[in-house]
Amino acid sequence: MTQQDTAPPIASLPPAHAHKLFVRGMAVSVAYVMALLIYAWLMRKAMLEMKPDQFATFLSGVFAPLAFLWLVLGFRQQGDELQNSARALWLQGEELRNSVEQQRQLVEVSREQLAFEAGERRRAEEEAERAAQPRLHMPRTGGSYSGPLQTLKLAVTSGGPACSDVRVFVDGNEKVLTAILSEGERMVTAQSYGRPEDVEPLMVEVEYTDIRGNRRAQRFAVPVDESGGPNGGRTLGQPVKLPGVEKRTPSVASDGSGDAT
């Protein structure tokens, strides 16, 4: 059972209760005084013969019940007023509690709204970041062969949007660069091997500045095809794009070395 269930109902103390007590007290008092007057009229001869001290004792005796009645009524009215005051204070406390609960709910709603807006901004930023990255691809391009010497080509193509200050690194060594790589354009480099046995897997890294001005990098793993070359020799296989776009600091772009941040 809650505090609200145990609280006295408002209807238990109607506003006219004190007035009713006063009216009833006045009715009893008037009736009592009328009875005293009738008694005094019937006993007028004996009362006229009373001495002053006896008359005073008589008056105090006959009016004592009336005084006691109004004393009881006064205490009753005071108790009712205290009960009404307690009820009013309890209602004020309930209103304050409800107000605090409403404020808590408003704060919770505001917090959820802020979290939602922050999530929307984060998703919009992520979407803008994805849209700013060029769609880079590395097709398998083959190569040229002269006896045991083979030169294998590596090409990077862009599906847009354009990026700038593009640098291609093969196993950490810068091979080729261009100022702008637009949609449909290609950057080509080559690796030369004296013998097919010298062909090893490669890691190709393409660093660039996206259209938002941020330095980024995409990576490709180039495996070895054990029997795809001339006479079934080793050659480079189909490049595989590694997931994710790495963030780079401007200093990385300027010297072509360093780790991703």
Side-chain angles (χ1 to χ4, degrees):
M1 182 176 294
T2 62
Q3 183 179 4
Q4 186 173 3
D5 296 331
T6 59
I10 299 177
S12 64
L13 296 176
H17 186 68
H19 179 69
K20 290 181 179 180
L21 288 178
F22 177 77
V23 171
R24 291 173 182 175
M26 287 298 297
V28 172
S29 299
V30 170
Y32 186 77
V33 171
M34 292 298 296
L36 286 179
L37 292 176
I38 294 173
Y39 177 78
W41 176 256
L42 295 176
M43 301 297 295
R44 61 185 179 277
K45 183 177 180 180
M47 294 182 63
L48 292 174
E49 294 176 355
M50 288 183 181
K51 295 181 180 180
D53 58 335
Q54 294 175 338
F55 187 72
T57 302
F58 170 77
L59 290 178
S60 63
V62 296
F63 282 106
L66 195 61
F68 181 76
L69 171 66
W70 282 102
L71 179 64
V72 172
L73 292 177
F75 276 115
R76 176 67 183 276
Q77 185 175 3
Q78 186 177 15
D80 292 344
E81 291 177 355
L82 289 176
Q83 190 172 0
N84 288 333
S85 298
R87 175 63 179 172
L89 290 176
W90 182 87
L91 290 176
Q92 291 178 0
E94 274 298 294
E95 292 178 358
L96 181 60
R97 187 184 68 82
N98 293 334
S99 176
V100 170
E101 180 64 19
Q102 292 175 0
Q103 292 297 324
R104 187 192 66 79
Q105 294 177 357
L106 287 175
V107 170
E108 186 66 24
V109 170
S110 299
R111 184 182 295 112
E112 293 176 357
Q113 181 67 22
L114 290 175
F116 175 78
E117 293 176 355
E120 288 297 313
R121 288 194 296 268
R122 183 169 59 253
R123 283 188 288 271
E125 175 65 22
E126 292 173 353
E127 182 62 28
E129 176 71 11
R130 284 192 296 269
Q133 307 310 311
R135 298 183 298 277
L136 301 180
H137 306 281
M138 283 192 68
R140 187 172 183 177
T141 56
S144 59
Y145 303 86
S146 177
L149 180 64
Q150 56 181 325
T151 302
L152 303 179
K153 293 182 179 180
L154 297 170
V156 177
T157 62
S158 174
C163 53
S164 60
D165 191 16
V166 186
R167 299 167 182 261
V168 177
F169 298 86
V170 179
D171 284 345
N173 300 313
E174 185 174 345
K175 291 293 186 177
V176 62
L177 63 88
T178 185
I180 299 292
L181 182 63
S182 301
E183 182 177 355
E185 292 185 349
R186 169 182 291 195
M187 299 176 66
V188 180
T189 185
Q191 287 284 101
S192 296
Y193 301 94
R195 300 174 303 169
E197 300 82 41
D198 296 334
V199 179
E200 296 292 339
L202 300 176
M203 183 64 65
V204 178
E205 197 170 68
V206 184
E207 287 189 2
Y208 57 89
T209 300
D210 63 24
I211 58 176
R212 303 180 75 193
N214 298 317
R215 194 67 180 169
R216 298 290 184 259
Q218 298 182 30
R219 303 174 71 191
F220 297 83
V222 184
V224 170
D225 188 342
E226 295 292 345
S227 59
N231 302 320
R234 290 164 62 93
T235 187
L236 294 178
Q238 175 64 48
V240 177
K241 186 175 183 179
L242 300 181
V245 176
E246 297 182 6
K247 296 181 179 180
R248 295 296 174 90
T249 60
S251 60
V252 174
S254 63
D255 59 15
S257 62
D259 298 328
T261 57

